[in-house]
Amino acid sequence: MEYTTLGKTGLKVSVVGLGCGGFSRLGIPSGKTEDEAARLILDAVDLGINFLDTAPPYGTEATVGKALKSIPRDKVVVSTKAFVHRQGQWHTPAQMVASLENSLQLMGTDYVDVFQLHGVLPSEYQYALDALGPALREQKAKGKIRHIGITEQPVEDFTHEMLERATKDDIWEVFMLAFHMMHQSARKDLFPLTREKRIGTLLMFAVRSIFAKPERVVAALRAAAAKGEVERWLGESAEPLGFLLHPGGAADITEAAYRFARHEPGVDVVLFGTGDAGHLRANVASLLKPPLPQADRDKLSLLFGHLLDVGMDAAPMQTR
């Protein structure tokens, strides 16, 4: 495993992070027991992963807590979240603190290393800052939160508007954002700011669903070509990303997607979810491979660097 420092937090984190939400949720939706899901977390830790990301709506905080009973607490970095606005209701500071307390209880820990406001839209940002910011600072002063973060909602805010605004406020130490081979806007719009401000970055959507299933890539590029957003041949090809697969290049598209995201300047931790130990090992192996050949990276930037909102059809949460 390789490690880096998560921005100005000073936390030493694995460049690979285990996401405990998404579609897989540690295999629980497909029938894994909580013990089996906790064993998957321990498998990840055995591979050197020390960053675990969860949240109340994922339903996996108790599973993380079960795994933590077998891990020295200071050997892992745990991240969870709380909502700002949900189902038409603004969450008050008291509700946010109650959410934090419930998370701590479920995970059996006295503190969370990174506590993030979850999926904040641009229209919600000022409330998050003004109403919840003081309570976040208070909980940090009490030691229940070590570092404060915020995550974007890429389905609706695919231009990173909220996070760009958040770079102006010193409270935020960690951002979670979307970035992948066909959604590269953070390179120009956000990573220069996070690197300047030393804000740690957690990457979601590196693969998600679009690069895990070739037919989704084909469909996305067919739609983009029809709108004139990409070259016509990309919309007509049965293997539009086939140029990435060659000796010295990637073995498959999923590997290419992970390698592309992992080695982007400005990226600290690449998150992925899984419900299977073999899939876990394969993803870690891909993320620890060298960068894609420069010619391939250049071609990806040329073909897709201008695209927005591609592959953003599967956010962690849709109901607001």
Side-chain angles (χ1 to χ4, degrees):
M1 183 54 63
E2 298 173 14
Y3 299 87
T4 190
T5 301
L6 187 61
K8 59 191 172 185
T9 68
L11 294 169
K12 182 182 179 182
V13 292
S14 51
V15 298
V16 181
L18 181 63
C20 300
F23 301 122
S24 53
R25 289 174 43 228
L26 301 172
I28 292 173
S30 59
K32 271 194 180 347
T33 66
E34 189 168 271
D35 284 342
E36 291 169 333
R39 177 66 253 177
L40 191 62
I41 295 174
L42 298 179
D43 289 342
V45 173
D46 287 344
L47 291 172
I49 293 174
N50 76 344
F51 193 95
L52 308 175
D53 177 71
T54 185
Y58 302 166
T60 55
E61 288 181 312
T63 308
V64 171
K66 180 161 286 193
L68 288 178
K69 292 178 181 178
S70 302
I71 309 168
R73 182 63 184 87
D74 62 352
K75 299 300 182 184
V76 288
V77 175
V78 178
S79 167
T80 193
K81 310 177 186 78
F83 286 116
V84 171
H85 187 264
R86 188 70 164 164
Q87 297 178 333
Q89 299 293 321
W90 293 101
H91 280 214
T92 65
Q95 287 174 306
M96 186 198 71
V97 172
S99 179
L100 168 64
E101 295 285 1
N102 189 60
S103 295
L104 294 175
Q105 181 177 3
L106 285 171
M107 292 191 290
T109 182
D110 296 328
Y111 66 93
V112 62
D113 297 279
V114 181
F115 190 72
Q116 304 179 88
L117 297 184
H118 196 170
V120 181
L121 290 171
S123 59
E124 299 165 351
Y125 177 73
Q126 203 61 46
Y127 177 88
L129 178 67
D130 295 342
L132 303 184
L136 288 169
R137 292 185 189 274
E138 182 179 346
Q139 295 305 307
K140 184 178 180 181
K142 290 180 178 180
K144 295 185 178 183
I145 297 171
R146 290 201 167 175
H147 303 285
I148 298 169
I150 192 168
T151 88
E152 69 180 8
Q153 217 289 36
V155 171
E156 298 178 56
D157 181 21
F158 46 80
T159 63
H160 315 291
E161 179 186 342
M162 185 279 296
L163 289 181
E164 284 188 52
R165 287 174 59 187
T167 61
K168 298 179 173 64
D169 299 303
D170 291 337
I171 185 173
W172 316 113
E173 301 167 87
V174 179
F175 285 177
M176 184 183 290
L177 66 141
F179 178 85
H180 63 61
M181 292 193 294
M182 295 182 190
H183 181 68
Q184 305 173 28
S185 56
R187 176 184 298 129
K188 174 184 175 184
D189 299 331
L190 192 59
F191 290 145
L193 298 173
T194 58
R195 295 174 78 185
E196 177 188 351
K197 300 277 189 173
R198 297 179 58 232
I199 296 169
T201 57
L202 311 174
L203 211 67
M204 54 182 167
F205 282 81
V207 168
R208 200 70 181 200
S209 56
I210 186 171
F211 298 119
K213 298 185 177 181
E215 63 271 20
R216 295 196 176 187
V217 174
V218 171
L221 288 178
R222 185 182 300 126
K227 293 186 286 186
E229 295 175 348
V230 297
E231 296 181 22
R232 182 176 173 181
W233 70 268
L234 286 166
E236 296 173 345
S237 175
E239 295 183 342
L241 299 181
F243 64 88
L244 296 170
L245 312 182
H246 60 86
D252 55 55
I253 299 304
T254 298
E255 178 192 301
Y258 278 131
R259 291 169 66 183
F260 177 82
R262 155 76 179 90
H263 295 285
E264 178 69 24
V267 173
D268 291 328
V269 178
V270 177
L271 295 165
F272 71 81
T274 186
D276 177 79
H279 183 244
L280 167 70
R281 290 190 295 271
N283 285 355
V284 170
S286 293
L287 282 157
L288 294 181
K289 288 188 175 181
L292 293 175
Q294 190 59 49
D296 292 347
R297 292 186 63 85
D298 290 345
K299 189 167 185 177
L300 286 167
S301 296
L302 178 66
L303 293 174
F304 309 125
H306 59 288
L307 292 179
L308 295 170
D309 196 25
V310 175
M312 297 292 109
D313 58 337
M317 53 178 191
Q318 297 286 353
T319 304
R320 302 200 70 80

